[in-house]
Amino acid sequence: MLTISALYDCEKPSSSQLWRLYWASHQRFFRHMCMSAKVPAAVKLAKQALQDGKCVVIGLQSTGEARTEEAVSKYGNELDDFVSGPRELLLKLVEDNYPLPLPAHGLQEVLGKDSSKQRQFRAFHIPGRRRSRKSKKPEDDFESEEDYETESDAESGESNEGPRICKICCSEDPKKVSIECQDCDASAHFVCLPVGSTGTCTEWRCPSCDEAQRTYVGQLQARYEKALERKHRCLDAIRSFDLPNNPLDDIIDQLGGPDSVAEITGRRGFLVRAANGKGVVYQSRSSKDVAMEMVNMHEKQQFMEGRKQVAIISEAGSAGVSLQADRRVSNQKRRVHITLELPWSADRAIQQFGRTHRSNQACAPEYRLLFTNLGGERRFASIVAKRLETLGALTQGDRRAGPSLSAYNYDSIYGKKALALMYRSIMEQCESPVPPPGCSADGEWVPHEFFKFARAALIAVGIVRDAVLGENPEKEFEKPSGRIPESDIHDVARFLNRLLGLPPDIQNRLFEYFVSIFDRLLSDARRDGQFDCGIIDIKANSIELQDTPKTVHVDPMSGAATTMTVLKVDRGLTWESALKLFEQNEAEKKPKSGFYESKREWLGRMHYLMAINCLKSGPTCYRIFRPASGEALREMPEEELLSKYSIVTSLELAEKKWQDEYTITEDQCMHGPKCKVGSSCTVGRRVQEMFILGGLILPVWGTVEKALSKQVRLSHRRLRVVWLETSSDNQRIVGLHIPNPAVNAVLSGLAQMQATQRSEMAHGPEVAT
């Protein structure tokens, strides 16, 4: 059947493809908007660097060349102003994908010359058509209409050969040649037809059918014209938007134009201010002296020689280009590398960062990574952090590099769990693990109001689907409705992408809620010993080597040894250090910071701590310091702190209690002298022995893991790689931390492994088995 969809361009994408195209354009549009919002800050930083006697390198990924060339092809080489990338993107989306029915003159192109398609179209789309009995097909007959009519003619004694009544003269004359109407069962004598009414003896339409077709074609043409008018109104509305210019052209213009800025990109041309100051003109980057293939090398040479103090590089132009303060060139000023747009992968990020930081440089560059305060923009940092962690380029290769990027890696297992928890909380399918933003005791909202507001936002960006919207706008989102597809439940990338399209206040609140849940999951994982953060720094008041490392295993093939190092670690925080930290924070007037006492005894005694307000957005949290263990790994929410502890107002009392606990925990765990685990228990003990397995690790990894798996406590079963430095001689030690209760089991397993290997070497594997 030829349905009404045949009246549209059949090459248009399907509904699912259109949605994918829409959301892809949605993401690119708001990414361009974020980039444009950072242009003033980038220009300000660049001008300040130039005033300080430095030179500037600005890095971005996309140049907007496609949008510029499209605008030039449409409007010509002379434009009123620089091209707006977001505007051209929206215009292209509407121009290419707005659904328009074909005009009347386009019907023949759709139907073609196929007679069966023409009959189907007339049968199902022209009102008033009367279908003949002989051409009516059973519903279960899948043969062609021509085949069916032939069979009907063969079975019936009545066929077209019999006399028919002429539609025009209303008579029957078997001697006259008749012709049938194309749309109904009417017929007419060929000689009765008006002159010029048909070109052949097989094409004719009766007056009623002809009028019906003319009316329907007129309706199609009117519908096409109305749709075209709606499309033009949409395009006019987009052109009226005050959208920012292409960031690349805007930055070059504000920093002095092409004469002052070296452009190292993949563009073939650019827009510059006209000589008369009115409008802009499109110019090719090549010239008589410099071919297009050598433009980037020529621009680089001008920057390295100091003729141009600013360089802009893109992904396409940065490969193989060195812009560092090389000792062999004239321009040895310090580079200030401003990153306007982060790349989408770590290898590309490293490639761009490495353009200004290479060997033989006179001075190292300064890096300035620009971010807006929009929660959704952290999507790009999240992707880069994920790739950097995989490559080990910044976050692991250099232990002091990359923590700012690692903090944005939300596309992890904990990020996926946090997203699923957030969705279920918003849909009120479970209790929220953290208070929503603005829903504290003195907040502006209650949780139900926040969830109603969040559901409306998720529906607006297409994450919640099939929602039932009521007639009353005020009660529209009172009850959860709709669903979140299973594929979206853990898709952090899609959530952060869609977040970009929400108003700043809404997306920041939603992102803050997501991050609060994310932080809570990380804190819980660290508390339970489940968080794998790679190599862990052991920080303590003092770390001393007890004895020389002891060899516990020797590999029979290589002769490499595995050693056990015993260290004495004092994790405590003295009263003097605690008081100094407290006075520093008291000067900053952090509310409710101070010393606290537990509200009830635990294991026979009260416990004390110092809490410092973090003063960050979201739920109020405190850094926790204890006499026996120093700073805690996780921050404590204010609600938990006030429910378990009460503040100590007297510094004299706080000092006495702090000193007492500091002394008691030197050789006693928090369970007291009657601890069931015995002297190997280190929970809450200030001074403890730490066992580090070093040297050759990989061959014995399985044996160590097997020994730890038999431990009672979950925290004693995990393998952790630690890094520490002794206090006296600054000796650095890296290895596997063996929990104290598991030391004997590990040593026994290694000894048994060593005996088995020696037996195999002496008698062969079969005898040993």
Side-chain angles (χ1 to χ4, degrees):
M1 181 185 293
L2 189 68
T3 61
I4 196 68
S5 61
L7 302 179
Y8 292 83
D9 187 351
C10 58
E11 296 182 356
K12 290 293 184 183
S14 63
S15 175
S16 60
Q17 290 174 325
L18 279 174
W19 275 116
R20 285 196 293 269
L21 179 63
Y22 169 78
W23 289 118
S25 301
H26 176 278
Q27 176 187 340
R28 288 195 296 269
F29 174 82
F30 287 104
R31 187 182 68 180
H32 284 317
M33 296 296 289
C34 289
M35 283 181 57
S36 301
K38 291 180 279 189
V39 167
V43 172
K44 182 179 179 181
L45 285 174
K47 290 182 177 180
Q48 183 61 48
L50 294 175
Q51 289 179 4
D52 296 340
K54 304 172 186 177
C55 57
V56 178
V57 176
I58 300 176
L60 43 80
Q61 295 302 298
S62 55
T63 61
E65 179 186 16
R67 307 284 87 81
T68 301
E69 291 186 349
E70 288 170 5
V72 169
S73 64
K74 285 191 297 184
Y75 310 123
N77 289 347
E78 297 183 2
L79 305 174
D80 293 334
D81 201 352
F82 291 109
V83 173
S84 170
R87 181 185 296 112
E88 293 301 321
L89 189 146
L90 289 179
L91 290 173
K92 182 174 177 57
L93 177 68
V94 174
E95 286 174 347
D96 293 350
N97 299 283
Y98 193 92
L100 285 178
L102 288 175
H105 62 77
L107 285 176
Q108 188 62 34
E109 297 178 8
V110 175
L111 299 176
K113 297 181 179 180
D114 190 333
S115 60
S116 64
K117 278 188 177 182
Q118 294 177 17
R119 280 194 294 272
Q120 291 178 45
F121 173 76
R122 290 191 292 270
F124 295 103
H125 297 296
I126 297 182
R129 186 213 186 249
R130 297 165 292 172
R131 303 181 64 185
S132 62
R133 291 190 184 93
K134 69 175 184 177
S135 63
K136 186 174 181 179
K137 298 170 59 177
E139 292 182 359
D140 57 348
D141 189 357
F142 291 93
E143 300 179 14
S144 67
E145 188 174 348
E146 293 90 341
D147 294 340
Y148 182 77
E149 289 176 354
T150 302
E151 293 174 6
S152 177
D153 293 342
E155 295 173 0
S156 172
E158 301 176 4
S159 66
N160 293 340
E161 297 176 0
R164 303 287 297 276
I165 299 176
C166 177
K167 185 75 173 178
I168 299 175
C169 67
C170 299
S171 64
E172 295 184 11
D173 189 348
K175 296 180 181 181
K176 294 182 179 180
V177 179
S178 298
I179 183 173
E180 291 187 359
C181 176
Q182 299 179 78
D183 299 334
C184 67
D185 56 357
S187 63
H189 297 144
F190 191 73
V191 296
C192 296
L193 297 179
V195 178
S197 61
T198 180
T200 66
C201 61
T202 60
E203 296 180 2
W204 174 73
R205 186 175 289 109
C206 68
S208 59
C209 291
D210 186 60
E211 180 63 27
Q213 188 193 38
R214 291 177 184 276
T215 302
Y216 188 65
V217 169
Q219 292 174 355
L220 290 180
Q221 183 65 23
R223 182 171 60 178
Y224 167 77
E225 291 174 356
K226 288 181 180 179
L228 187 62
E229 183 183 356
R230 290 194 297 270
K231 177 180 178 179
H232 287 317
R233 285 203 303 267
C234 186
L235 292 174
D236 291 340
I238 294 173
R239 293 188 183 99
S240 67
F241 293 160
D242 185 16
L243 296 175
N245 296 329
N246 179 18
L248 178 56
D249 290 325
D250 201 5
I251 291 174
I252 293 176
D253 182 59
Q254 294 191 50
L255 293 179
D259 295 336
S260 303
V261 180
E263 180 183 339
I264 307 174
T265 67
R267 295 202 302 179
R268 294 184 292 272
F270 54 85
L271 294 172
V272 295
R273 292 285 179 190
N276 57 7
K278 297 180 180 180
V280 294
V281 179
Y282 182 80
Q283 293 182 1
S284 173
R285 294 184 62 206
S286 62
S287 62
K288 294 181 181 179
D289 300 329
V290 182
M292 182 63 70
E293 295 78 11
M294 297 300 296
V295 167
N296 284 341
M297 295 304 298
H298 176 71
E299 293 288 294
K300 173 210 165 185
Q301 193 66 26
Q302 288 192 315
F303 176 75
M304 298 298 279
E305 291 176 358
R307 298 176 187 173
K308 296 183 179 181
Q309 298 297 315
V310 180
I312 295 184
I313 60 175
S314 69
E315 181 184 3
S318 62
V321 175
S322 300
L323 300 175
Q324 80 276 19
D326 200 314
R327 299 179 187 275
R328 296 167 294 184
V329 300
S330 303
N331 184 7
Q332 297 185 16
K333 297 179 181 179
R334 186 182 297 277
R335 274 54 169 162
V336 178
H337 193 137
I338 302 172
T339 301
L340 195 68
E341 179 187 13
L342 270 177
W344 284 64
S345 62
D347 53 347
R348 293 177 182 176
I350 295 168
Q351 186 182 69
Q352 188 187 107
F353 297 154
R355 299 307 99 201
T356 55
H357 191 41
R358 305 176 76 85
S359 60
N360 198 40
Q361 60 187 8
C363 53
E366 298 176 3
Y367 289 101
R368 298 287 184 269
L369 273 66
L370 298 182
F371 288 96
T372 65
N373 62 348
L374 298 177
E377 197 196 3
R378 302 191 187 190
R379 148 76 166 146
F380 308 112
S382 172
I383 288 182
V384 173
K386 184 177 181 180
R387 299 297 184 269
L388 288 176
E389 288 183 350
T390 302
L391 293 178
L394 291 182
T395 54
Q396 293 175 11
D398 184 352
R399 299 181 52 78
R400 294 168 298 280
S404 59
L405 286 178
S406 304
Y408 295 124
N409 186 16
Y410 302 114
D411 199 358
S412 62
I413 182 173
Y414 295 103
K416 296 178 191 298
K417 289 181 180 179
L419 185 66
L421 266 177
M422 185 190 75
Y423 283 156
R424 287 199 292 268
S425 300
I426 289 174
M427 301 301 289
E428 299 187 19
Q429 296 172 356
C430 69
E431 187 177 351
S432 176
V434 297
C439 296
S440 57
D442 54 349
E444 56 182 310
W445 285 349
V446 296
H448 177 72
E449 289 295 321
F450 174 82
F451 294 147
K452 182 175 72 172
F453 154 91
R455 283 194 294 272
L458 295 181
I459 290 173
V461 294
I463 291 178
V464 175
R465 305 181 190 176
D466 304 331
V468 179
L469 304 180
E471 297 180 358
N472 187 350
E474 295 181 359
K475 298 183 178 180
E476 202 164 46
F477 305 103
E478 282 292 337
K479 294 182 180 180
S481 66
R483 63 182 180 87
I484 299 177
E486 191 65 29
S487 59
D488 290 354
I489 288 290
H490 300 96
D491 197 335
V492 179
R494 177 165 295 177
F495 165 69
L496 294 177
N497 274 341
R498 302 288 174 85
L499 208 61
L500 281 173
L502 293 171
D505 179 62
I506 297 176
Q507 68 170 279
N508 285 339
R509 284 178 181 269
L510 269 178
F511 187 77
E512 183 181 336
Y513 185 44
F514 166 70
V515 171
S516 298
I517 298 176
F518 178 79
D519 291 341
R520 170 59 65 88
L521 292 180
L522 285 185
S523 298
D524 293 345
R526 290 191 181 101
R527 180 191 62 199
D528 299 336
Q530 297 296 312
F531 182 68
D532 184 7
C533 55
I535 301 176
I536 302 172
D537 283 343
I538 300 297
K539 297 179 180 179
N541 192 25
S542 68
I543 300 175
E544 298 296 340
L545 194 64
Q546 287 288 84
D547 202 351
T548 56
K550 177 184 176 182
T551 300
V552 293
H553 179 268
V554 178
D555 185 69
M557 300 297 294
S558 63
T562 303
T563 60
M564 179 72 81
T565 303
V566 184
L567 299 161
K568 184 178 181 181
V569 179
D570 186 350
R571 303 183 301 156
L573 183 67
T574 63
W575 167 254
E576 290 75 18
S577 300
L579 184 61
K580 182 178 179 181
L581 186 62
F582 170 72
E583 290 174 348
Q584 289 175 351
N585 287 274
E586 190 178 33
E588 298 176 10
K589 298 181 179 180
K590 294 186 175 181
K592 297 184 181 178
S593 296
F595 296 92
Y596 285 78
E597 178 186 40
S598 59
K599 292 185 176 180
R600 63 182 182 86
E601 289 187 355
W602 193 58
L603 297 174
R605 59 188 175 90
M606 308 293 282
H607 294 269
Y608 298 86
L609 57 81
M610 180 177 64
I612 303 297
N613 195 319
C614 297
L615 289 183
K616 65 180 183 180
S617 60
T620 305
C621 293
Y622 293 81
R623 295 169 59 197
I624 302 300
F625 300 83
R626 292 185 172 89
S629 56
E631 184 174 4
L633 291 176
R634 77 177 185 97
E635 297 168 354
M636 184 179 292
E638 184 178 51
E639 182 180 358
E640 180 183 352
L641 176 68
L642 299 180
S643 64
K644 296 180 179 180
Y645 297 87
S646 57
I647 194 165
V648 179
T649 56
S650 171
L651 276 181
E652 290 77 9
L653 179 61
E655 179 182 5
K656 182 180 183 305
K657 299 297 183 181
W658 191 278
Q659 295 281 22
D660 292 344
E661 186 163 343
Y662 184 86
T663 303
I664 291 173
T665 55
E666 180 177 0
D667 54 3
Q668 180 178 302
C669 68
M670 68 184 305
H671 305 116
K674 298 181 181 180
C675 178
K676 296 179 181 179
V677 180
S679 59
S680 62
C681 181
T682 59
V683 178
R685 179 182 291 185
R686 176 170 63 84
V687 181
Q688 56 185 262
E689 285 185 328
M690 181 172 286
F691 296 85
I692 307 297
L693 198 66
L696 189 65
I697 295 295
L698 289 180
V700 302
W701 188 283
T703 302
V704 176
E705 195 171 33
K706 182 179 179 181
L708 294 185
S709 66
K710 299 177 181 178
Q711 298 303 305
V712 177
R713 289 183 177 171
L714 192 64
S715 60
H716 292 164
R717 298 177 191 172
R718 294 188 66 252
L719 281 170
R720 295 190 298 172
V721 181
V722 299
W723 180 96
L724 48 83
E725 185 175 354
T726 57
S727 303
S728 57
D729 54 358
N730 297 328
Q731 181 180 348
R732 297 178 179 180
I733 299 173
V734 180
L736 289 178
H737 175 227
I738 307 300
N740 292 26
V743 171
N744 291 333
V746 170
L747 293 178
S748 176
L750 292 177
Q752 185 178 359
M753 179 183 179
Q754 187 77 79
T756 302
Q757 290 174 341
R758 287 175 179 171
S759 178
E760 289 178 354
M761 293 291 291
H763 306 289
E766 294 183 357
V767 176
T769 301

